[in-house]
Amino acid sequence: MSATPVLAGRDDELRRLTGAVRSAPGGERVLVVSGEPGSGKSALLEAAAVVAGELGQRVLQAAGSESEAGLAFAGLHQLLRPVLAAADALLPGQRAALLGAVGLGTPPGRPDPWEVGLAVLTLLSDLGDQAPLCVVVDDAQWLDRASLDVLSFVARRLEGEPVTLLVAARDGEPLPGLDQFAPRIVLEPLDAGAATRVLAAQPVTLTAWARQQVLDQAAGNPLALRELARAAAADPAVLDPAPGPFPVGDRLEGLFGAHLDALPEATRQALLLLAAADAADPARYVSAVLPATDEVWLPARRAALVRPAGDRLVFRHPLIRSAVYHRASFADRRAAHLRLAAALTDEPDRRAWHLAAVAVPPDPAAAAELERTADRAGRRGGHAAAAAALERAASLAASRADAARLLLAAAGAAAFTGDLGWVERLADSARSLSDDPAVERAATLLAGQLTSLTAEHDVAFSTLARIARATLERDPEAALAALSWAAVVCFYSGSSPMRSELRALLAGLPSGTDDVAAAWTAVVSEPFTGRADAVAGLPSLVEAVRDRPDRLVMVAIGAWLLDEPVLAARTFDDAFALWRTTGPLPNGLGCAAALAYLERGRWSQAHVVCDDVTAVGQATGLVHAVACADAVRAMVSASQGDTARARELAEGALTAIDPEASRSVAAYARRALGAAAAVEGDHETAYQQYRSLFEADGTPTHYHACYAAVPELAAAAARTGHGREAELIVEQSEKDLGNEISPRLAALFQRARALLAEPEHAEGHFKAALADAALAPWPFERAQTLLEYAEWMRRRRRIAEARPLLTAALEVFRRLGARPWIERAQGELRASGMDVVEAVPDAIARLSPQQQQIVQLAARGLTNREIGDRLFLSPRTVGSHLYRTFPKLGVTTRAQLRDLLG
């Protein structure tokens, strides 16, 4: 395809964009175009949209607006406005969430941004069933954060959908959630040949000197080429040399301003009103303010400053709008915003921002309007919009105390975005405005909470411990809040000095201080101290916080740490169900849920949780959370036999963090690497990986994450001649835990002793490991023990006794999809004289974790829409997975699927 003159030099970029539009599902679904202002991003998107229209596709378009960036879901409303009627086909919860987000209804309780994202995904998928869809978003750097988060959610799930998403943004502007995975087309300055072709296509006559000046000063920027050519033709003096490099943005604004000076006063005022208005301001309100006569607009159209777009006029380029707006006096800008605010009587959020745009501090009335706007945005899940409104409100507050209060509230809202720099800046500003120690503590705590989710463990713990010491006596609740976040840091780091200091500070709290938080903090830092009492208190804690998802998560994490996986998984389930209706979960120790599901044998669910943690971590820059999710995912992949994937994930996690500073993540990653090596038969490497989990004297590198790997260490040691060294580690571990050891760890240590013992002494340890069903809540660990005991029996020709153990172990391995263990158990059964038939569960095991979940839910009778609602997928994606999996399972109907899975 050959580019038109206006797109000269962009042939490759245009070919790639139109290729994405033309391709069937399976090709590139998402593309981001970036470049400096005037580089041709909008023209490329427009050309791709034209191609989409010619192909019969439906095109949805939106453009970010700088002053709309603070309005939650404004961009989403603009994008979906033409198709919102199709929301009637959504599930009731999704429809309510979507309409509530865009201000056309009341959201059910506190909004769930994931529910909004799923509603948009389903809506686009439904529209794609009617005709392929092309979604075009320009100036995404100015899109409000809530809308951008929804687009990121959708973009990650477009595989197989007849939907293409094309996004344009300025160079250097981050697009959280898209930056980490979306392919990016970077528009470099045009080369000399392309720049010459663009200039030659302009309808002006220039001297050779003037042409060269334009080429030199435009520096390959297409918009600058056109505008400088027009200006030079009208007034050659505009090209007089200026000192230093030519600043394209400043010069262009000056050039646009020169156009303005020649316009009638009425036209200039009309353009200023248009510049002060935003794309998302309802057209009927803006039209009521703008002059309607062609006489006013004709000069602006002749000067190519504006162009028609549907039923309204828009600026031909954002730089023109900027020039119009900033060239006007403050008094004129103020008058324009006030006229718009007066018209927007039914749009309180947009009215508030128009008033704030020209407010002169102090202006408590405008600040109050913004505070109300922030409250509405927060209730709709627009945390970034709420923080922005509160920050602007603080700048207009009547007093320093009010400003500090508003900045603290802004920092609290910003904390949900994961933007540590923003939270710190807001907290620092609040501190600078107040001498109140409570403000200092609250600001520091907010920054400390978010820092606790990063890899800066020493900094975070020091900050939080300092707050706790300062507030221990006069404000114990504040001290405990700091300590509960310090416990997160303590767990991630595994630092003994941190644990000691945390214990000392906890001991100083008065009794009765937030029992749930106090119990959780104690368990996170010391899971094996006072275990029996802690376990006994778990059910009452669950009941006490039944309607609080954040507190349910705390109790669930505590149950997991105390080796109570049934209660842990059930409580995580309850918390996730509440989260869908009441708001976001805390991110601290988010991977604990994945680990609990992993240990409980719900490996597909563990994958889903890791996906969610990764999505949040990538969108907010929390690299440590992503590393933790990758390490857990690597453990599952290794157990399922995907050793290449396990190694890639684990090594990536170790690269992303400092293994000495974040010992929990390092332990999970090394356990995955050890398991991968063992699967491949490299037992020496496996042993070295497991051995690295313990210090030279046998103490664990992490006080919780290492003990469960003792049997794998023993298995590798028995095959490599390191048996005595492994025995010492088992002895040291048992000594460390003493009477506080959980039944699960006691069984795992017995299994390790069985693997290391002389053959004639192993059986007693195997029986002890399987006694009283201690490992029943951990199906994979119990199946491993059954298999190893059966192998021991078969080598002693006790074949009849070994067979039922092998059969039971194989059943679990098949259900989990643990391919290496399936093959090992099948080999033992064949060696024991039994015919092993490839069973259907083996076919299920070969499905991806997501496909396994879809099949299980379909077997329970859920529709594609209901399954999509559970798993954050579109109904089309669910149907596509079922279409591909039915032949693999040998079924053709859902009824057969139910029979198959029992």
Side-chain angles (χ1 to χ4, degrees), residues 189 223 805:
L223 178 62
L805 274 63

Side-chain angles (χ1 to χ4, degrees), residues 546-868:
R546 178 62 67 185
D547 60 345
R548 292 278 305 278
D550 56 335
R551 293 307 181 93
L552 278 175
V553 168
M554 294 172 74
V555 178
I557 291 172
W560 167 67
L561 290 166
L562 292 167
D563 277 342
E564 294 292 320
V566 177
L567 179 61
R570 186 168 64 240
T571 308
F572 276 124
D573 289 343
D574 292 344
F576 290 153
L578 276 178
W579 166 53
R580 297 291 299 277
T581 58
T582 61
L585 285 172
N587 289 321
L589 297 183
C591 284
L595 287 161
Y597 289 136
L598 167 61
E599 293 174 2
R600 192 69 188 94
R602 294 166 59 178
W603 289 4
S604 297
Q605 190 70 13
H607 271 295
V608 170
V609 172
C610 287
D611 288 343
D612 290 345
V613 171
T614 297
V616 173
Q618 288 178 338
T620 56
L622 296 175
V623 177
H624 188 270
V626 176
C628 187
D630 283 349
V632 177
R633 209 182 340 238
M635 293 170 67
V636 182
S637 296
S639 298
Q640 292 181 317
D642 190 351
T643 56
R645 179 62 172 155
R647 191 172 291 108
E648 177 188 1
L649 288 166
E651 290 174 350
L654 289 172
T655 301
I657 53 107
D658 178 355
E660 292 299 318
S662 187
R663 296 189 172 196
S664 61
V665 175
Y668 301 136
R670 296 203 182 282
R671 283 170 62 178
L673 291 172
V679 165
E680 294 172 344
D682 186 356
H683 299 295
E684 181 61 39
T685 296
Y687 178 77
Q688 295 304 327
Q689 290 291 349
Y690 290 125
R691 181 64 183 85
S692 69
L693 301 176
F694 298 87
E695 306 287 0
D697 63 356
T699 58
T701 58
H702 187 274
Y703 62 91
H704 182 271
C706 300
Y707 287 123
V710 165
E712 276 66 41
L713 169 75
R719 290 173 169 83
T720 55
H722 297 289
R724 181 53 188 158
E725 188 176 26
E727 286 176 359
L728 293 174
I729 290 175
V730 176
E731 292 169 4
Q732 182 63 49
S733 297
E734 290 178 329
K735 179 181 177 182
D736 289 343
L737 297 176
N739 294 330
E740 303 286 359
I741 192 171
S742 68
R744 176 231 188 166
L745 288 181
L748 290 181
F749 290 174
Q750 287 290 353
R751 174 185 159 203
R753 287 194 174 279
L755 295 170
L756 293 169
E758 294 297 328
E760 62 272 18
H761 301 138
E763 186 167 21
H765 296 298
F766 277 127
K767 287 183 175 180
L770 294 168
D772 302 323
L775 287 177
W778 293 268
F780 184 54
E781 292 174 358
R782 186 171 188 273
Q784 288 175 301
T785 307
L786 288 171
L787 173 59
E788 289 160 348
Y789 187 21
E791 288 173 334
W792 179 89
M793 286 181 173
R794 191 185 64 77
R795 288 195 296 270
R796 271 137 203 86
R797 302 187 181 279
R798 293 163 55 179
I799 293 175
E801 295 174 76
R803 285 173 177 169
L805 274 63
L806 290 170
T807 301
L810 179 59
E811 181 181 352
V812 173
F813 295 146
R814 280 175 165 167
R815 177 171 61 82
L816 296 177
R819 171 60 52 184
W821 295 86
I822 292 172
E823 294 171 353
R824 184 169 159 184
Q826 288 176 336
E828 285 294 320
L829 279 168
R830 292 189 183 99
S832 66
M834 291 184 66
D835 291 332
V836 181
V837 178
E838 187 78 5
V840 168
D842 281 331
I844 293 176
R846 286 195 291 271
L847 302 179
S848 71
Q850 189 175 75
Q851 288 172 334
Q852 290 180 36
Q853 275 204 302
I854 290 171
V855 165
Q856 291 161 3
L857 292 172
R860 287 165 51 186
L862 274 70
T863 67
N864 288 3
R865 254 177 216 285
E866 291 167 336
I867 295 171

Side-chain angles (χ1 to χ4, degrees), residues 340-357:
L340 287 163
L344 291 164
T345 52
D346 298 333
E347 297 284 337
D349 293 339
R350 293 187 169 89
R351 180 177 183 276
W353 277 105
H354 279 295
L355 292 173

